[in-house]
Amino acid sequence: MIKSIDILNYLSENNFELSTGVPCSYFKELLIELDKSADIQYIAATREDEAVGIACGYYLGKKNCFLIIQNSGLATIGDAFTSLAQLYEIPLLIFVSYRGLEPDKTFPEHVIMGNVTEAVLNAYGIPYWNMKGENWRKILDEALERMKEDSSVVCILVEKGVII
Amino acid sequence: MRGKEVIASLKEFISDDTLIVSSNGNVSRQAYNFLPQPQVYLRGSMGLPMSIGLGLALAQPEKQVLVITGDGNFLMGLSSMTTIGNYKPPNLKIIILDNAIYATTGGQETVSSTVDYLKLLEGFGIQHYGSLNSIKSPSKLLEAFEILLTSKQTTVLHINVEEDIENLENIPWQPKEIKNKFMEKI
Ligand SMILES: Cc1ncc(C[n+]2csc(CCOP(=O)(O)OP(=O)(O)O)c2C)c(N)n1
Ligand SMILES: [Mg+2]
C-alpha cells in the first residue's frame, strides 16, 4: 500500500504543478489529498480526452501536468492520444485504475475493459507499469525517465487498495 | 465575411504575447497562413482546442491565450466549456468561427444553427462579447477583437461567418516541429 501524500510529494518533487482527470473510487484518498495540496492543483475535467487536452496545453506552456483516470477512460481517450499527445510527442504521465480484475466481478461494467486494458495500451504503443508494493518509487522513476527520453505517454496501472 | 477573412483581420491585434491555438482542418491552416507564426496548429484532436487553451492559459498566466475554433470543434468539445466556466482563467479568450458546416470535410451541415450561443455561454457563467454576424456587420469586428483581447476575464466571441469550403494547402510543418517552434518562442 502506498500513501497518497507520499505519491503527491514525489510528484511535486518531480515538478508536477497540475493534475486533471475524471475520478475513480480507487483514487478516492489520492483525490482527497490532492484537494488539500498547496503544491499541485487539480482541475476536474468532464471527460478523459478533455483532460489530455488540458495536460498537453499545460506542457506546451512549459509546465507539467499528470492525469488520474479510470481504465474505462482509456476507451474515451483514443483520438486525444493518437492525434494530439502521441502525434506532437508530448510527455504525459497517467495514473489509470485497473478495474475489472477478479475482485471486481460484481461490477460487470468494468469486466470487459479490465480484460483488454493491457491489450489496449499495447495497441496504442503506450508503455505501462503495474504499480504496487514497496518499489513504487523505482517504478515511477523508470516511467518518468521513459516519458522524458521518448517524449511519450506513459501509464501507471493501479489496482484496488494500492493507494491509500 | 468568410472565416479566413475574419482570421486575417485579427492580425493587427496579435502581439508576441498572444498564444494562439487553432482547431483542426481549415481553421488551423488559415491561422498558419494569415497570422504571425509559430502558434499551436492542431492537426487532429477535434473538440479539444478549448481544453488545450485552458491548459496553456494556466501555464502562462502572463500571456493572452486565444483559441480560434470552428463550430464543429466547439460543439464536439462542449462539455469542456463547463470546466472553463468553472476555473475561468482571465487570460483565456475564445473565438468561435461559426459557418454552420464541417467545411473541411466537404461542407456537411452541423447542428450549430439550433444553438443560442449567448444563452449557452451565460449558462456556463462565461463572459461573452455577444454574437457577431460578420456577414451583416463586418465593421463591428475590429472593435470586438480589441475588447476581447484586452478583457481581464475569460471571454468568448461567437461570429457567424459565410460558408467557404475552399481548402488551403496542408501546413508543411510536422506536428513535432509545430511543438518545438512554439515552445522555443515562449
Ligand atoms: C474525431 C474526428 N472526427 C472527425 C474528423 C474529421 N474532421 C476533420 S475537420 C472536421 C470539421 C471541423 O469542423 P469545424 O470545426 O466547424 O471547422 P470547419 O471545417 O467548418 O472550418 C471534421 C469533421 C476528425 N478530424 N476527428
Ligand atoms: Mg464549421
Side-chain angles (χ1 to χ4, degrees):
Chain A
M1 285 186 293
I2 311 163
K3 279 199 196 130
S4 297
I5 185 74
D6 292 341
I7 294 187
L8 293 186
N9 286 339
Y10 173 95
L11 292 167
S12 170
E13 282 158 20
N14 279 277
N15 301 319
F16 287 93
E17 293 175 61
L18 193 76
S19 56
T20 179
V22 180
C24 174
S25 60
Y26 287 14
F27 295 125
K28 197 172 151 201
E29 289 82 7
L30 184 65
L31 291 166
I32 290 173
E33 208 55 56
L34 203 43
D35 205 35
K36 291 191 263 176
S37 171
D39 302 322
I40 304 177
Q41 191 192 353
Y42 178 75
I43 302 285
T46 61
R47 298 170 50 100
E48 290 79 3
D49 54 353
E50 177 195 357
V52 173
I54 293 169
C56 288
Y58 202 65
Y59 178 79
L60 291 169
K62 298 192 164 169
K63 290 188 168 189
N64 301 311
C65 172
F66 63 89
L67 258 62
I68 303 173
I69 65 171
Q70 183 168 87
N71 57 345
S72 53
L74 289 175
T76 313
I77 220 168
D79 186 47
F81 280 157
T82 57
S83 76
L84 178 63
Q86 294 180 305
L87 182 70
Y88 289 75
E89 297 183 24
I90 293 176
L92 184 55
L93 171 69
I94 310 184
F95 292 91
V96 184
S97 65
Y98 204 161
R99 299 215 56 161
L101 297 175
E102 201 50 51
D104 231 9
K105 292 294 185 211
T106 46
F107 291 92
E109 64 272 34
H110 294 304
V111 172
I112 296 174
M113 184 39 100
N115 287 338
V116 301
T117 292
E118 297 187 38
V120 164
L121 289 171
N122 284 325
Y124 284 132
I126 292 176
Y128 60 88
W129 289 258
N130 191 336
M131 182 178 75
K132 43 184 167 186
E134 295 307 308
N135 63 344
W136 66 271
R137 280 173 211 272
K138 204 168 147 268
I139 288 175
L140 288 184
D141 283 346
E142 210 179 297
L144 287 183
E145 199 180 299
R146 179 76 174 272
M147 176 191 87
K148 286 179 204 159
E149 226 161 69
D150 298 353
S151 247
S152 67
V153 180
V154 295
C155 284
I156 305 294
L157 296 173
V158 181
E159 293 180 17
K160 187 172 187 175
V162 169
I163 300 182
I164 56 165
Chain B
M1 284 167 92
R2 292 180 291 177
K4 68 175 174 198
E5 292 157 346
V6 173
I7 286 181
S9 63
L10 260 170
K11 191 171 178 181
E12 60 179 291
F13 299 92
I14 306 302
S15 76
D16 289 346
D17 282 339
T18 321
L19 308 176
I20 301 173
V21 177
S22 47
S23 64
N24 75 328
N26 277 347
V27 173
S28 61
R29 289 176 210 155
Q30 291 161 355
Y32 177 84
N33 279 287
F34 302 124
L35 295 176
Q37 301 172 347
Q39 307 290 351
V40 179
Y41 310 110
L42 296 174
R43 297 301 307 250
S45 58
M46 186 171 166
L48 296 187
M50 295 80 73
S51 310
I52 296 164
L54 171 59
L56 189 54
L58 292 171
Q60 292 286 328
E62 305 301 324
K63 311 233 162 149
Q64 286 283 344
V65 173
L66 174 63
V67 175
I68 309 175
T69 176
D71 54 310
N73 265 273
F74 183 80
L75 294 175
M76 188 180 268
L78 200 57
S79 74
S80 68
M81 293 305 294
T82 59
T83 315
I84 289 170
N86 186 69
Y87 295 98
K88 290 199 188 72
N91 58 332
L92 178 61
K93 313 294 155 66
I94 298 171
I95 292 178
I96 308 163
L97 291 178
D98 184 1
N99 52 14
I101 55 172
Y102 297 110
T104 310
T105 48
Q108 305 85 356
E109 270 183 28
T110 65
V111 292
S112 182
S113 52
T114 318
V115 179
D116 182 332
Y117 279 88
L118 301 193
K119 282 192 184 149
L120 184 70
L121 293 166
E122 270 160 29
F124 290 138
I126 295 174
Q127 153 95 9
H128 58 77
Y129 177 77
S131 254
L132 272 188
N133 192 318
S134 70
I135 306 160
K136 290 189 194 136
S137 48
S139 58
K140 287 201 181 136
L141 270 187
L142 301 184
E143 186 193 321
F145 291 158
E146 175 75 34
I147 291 170
L148 183 77
L149 286 161
T150 53
S151 146
K152 301 266 187 286
Q153 52 185 318
T154 306
T155 308
V156 177
L157 173 62
H158 169 255
I159 309 176
N160 291 108
V161 296
E162 274 173 62
E163 278 190 19
D164 171 25
I165 57 167
E166 181 203 339
N167 276 326
L168 293 173
E169 288 281 305
N170 251 330
I171 296 169
W173 301 354
Q174 286 304 305
K176 188 178 167 185
E177 211 181 337
I178 295 175
K179 173 192 74 175
N180 289 340
K181 286 185 169 153
F182 178 78
M183 289 181 75
E184 270 164 32
K185 105 168 166 175
I186 300 183

